[in-house]
Amino acid sequence: MDKQADHPEMAAANGDDEPATGVFHTISSTDLVTQIARQITEAIVSGNLRPGSRLTELQLSREFGTSRAPVREAARLLESQGLVVSSPRRGFFVRTLEPQDLHDIYELRIGLEVHAALLAVDRITEHEIDRLQRQIEKMYALADEGSLEQQIMEDFTFHRLLCAASGNRRLLKVYDELATEMRCGIALIGRLFDSAHRLAETHEPVLDALRERDADKLAAAVRFHIVEAQDQVVELFSEISRRPKP
């Protein structure tokens, strides 16, 4: 059996002449750097590129059907976003997150989303509230189907909708950056709560407070919801980090 076929990150971590990973596809000539960065980001957050994997410029340029220059620029862009790190004379590598990194990310997320929620109290529309309700319903349905990965994606969509309801585009941009890093950590953990339904249930108090337009109740609900997720994620991530390396 071809181990590299089972573990695409191995192909990115080794020599320049190795076979294609199958993770990426050829892209068009418009805005190459952004498109390459987007595909690499998705490979990282989905777990196809693991922490510590090397981003080999020559191999990736072949898979994307480009020269090496836009691949290098995309890697630099991802480095500025905290997803990739560079090593002199060795190149770029997928960043390895530590438990403290996730703790800090969630602390920032608490402040960001509480502020977004308080702005949304006066700005959110009934249509946006209905969309949030549908997101919770999706999470419940996916819990019944056993689709954890998609359920987590719908969780991020719920929180993005909440941030969007603030009406502050800069705030939404910061949330998107945080969400990318959070998805990296959660991809390594593989789960959030012991019960799939618990993930959906934790959003109910947030939506109830929004419907009531109760700012104090909403701030408390958002804070409690994110702190609970923070405790779960950091604890599970710490357990993984303590395991002996294979």
Side-chain angles (χ1 to χ4, degrees):
M1 180 179 294
D2 185 353
K3 292 183 178 180
Q4 290 183 346
D6 291 339
H7 301 281
E9 71 276 7
M10 294 177 64
N14 295 318
D16 289 343
D17 295 323
E18 295 177 359
T21 62
V23 173
F24 307 109
H25 56 80
T26 303
I27 60 179
S28 65
S29 60
T30 305
D31 200 8
L32 294 178
V33 173
T34 300
Q35 291 184 69
I36 291 170
R38 186 178 297 122
Q39 285 201 49
I40 294 175
T41 297
E42 188 56 39
I44 293 172
V45 300
S46 66
N48 284 318
L49 282 175
R50 307 292 285 179
S53 297
R54 183 183 175 198
L55 302 178
T56 307
E57 291 178 16
L58 179 58
Q59 179 193 334
L60 293 178
S61 66
R62 288 172 177 170
E63 292 197 50
F64 289 126
T66 69
S67 67
R68 296 171 67 166
V71 173
R72 188 179 307 114
E73 289 303 311
R76 287 174 179 159
L77 175 61
L78 296 178
E79 183 180 25
S80 72
Q81 296 173 357
L83 292 181
V84 166
V85 294
S86 61
S87 176
R89 295 182 296 279
R90 296 185 64 213
F92 294 94
F93 296 82
V94 177
R95 175 186 171 195
T96 299
L97 287 172
E98 301 294 337
Q100 186 62 43
D101 292 321
L102 284 173
H103 181 274
D104 293 347
I105 289 167
Y106 271 90
E107 277 195 345
L108 179 55
R109 182 185 174 191
I110 290 168
L112 183 77
E113 290 198 47
V114 168
H115 183 60
L118 292 176
L119 291 175
V121 166
D122 296 323
R123 300 176 181 178
I124 195 167
T125 65
E126 290 301 317
H127 173 69
E128 289 171 318
I129 289 176
D130 288 343
R131 288 193 67 187
L132 289 170
Q133 177 63 57
R134 289 196 295 273
Q135 283 304 120
I136 294 176
E137 291 169 358
K138 283 183 183 179
M139 283 185 275
Y140 276 120
L142 290 166
D144 292 332
E145 296 170 8
S147 179
L148 176 63
E149 182 177 349
Q150 188 60 39
Q151 189 189 30
I152 290 173
M153 288 302 301
E154 300 300 346
D155 169 53
F156 280 114
T157 299
F158 178 96
H159 288 277
R160 192 177 194 280
L161 288 170
L162 176 62
C163 290
S166 74
N168 189 314
R169 289 179 294 179
R170 297 273 180 153
L171 188 153
L172 185 60
K173 182 176 183 293
V174 175
Y175 173 80
D176 286 340
E177 293 171 355
L178 288 178
T180 297
E181 291 192 89
M182 284 186 287
R183 285 177 62 195
C184 293
I186 293 170
L188 293 173
I189 296 169
R191 64 187 174 93
L192 276 178
F193 295 96
D194 292 333
S195 167
H197 285 86
R198 179 60 185 158
L199 179 58
E201 290 169 1
T202 57
H203 296 79
E204 297 277 9
V206 175
L207 185 58
D208 290 343
L210 271 172
R211 281 203 173 99
E212 296 169 18
R213 310 279 178 164
D214 186 325
D216 291 338
K217 184 177 178 180
L218 177 59
V222 171
R223 181 178 295 276
F224 180 84
H225 170 66
I226 298 177
V227 168
E228 184 177 16
Q230 178 188 37
D231 291 342
Q232 292 280 336
V233 169
V234 174
E235 180 180 354
L236 290 169
F237 198 85
S238 297
E239 289 177 5
I240 293 174
S241 300
R242 288 193 296 266
R243 292 173 187 170
K245 298 294 186 291

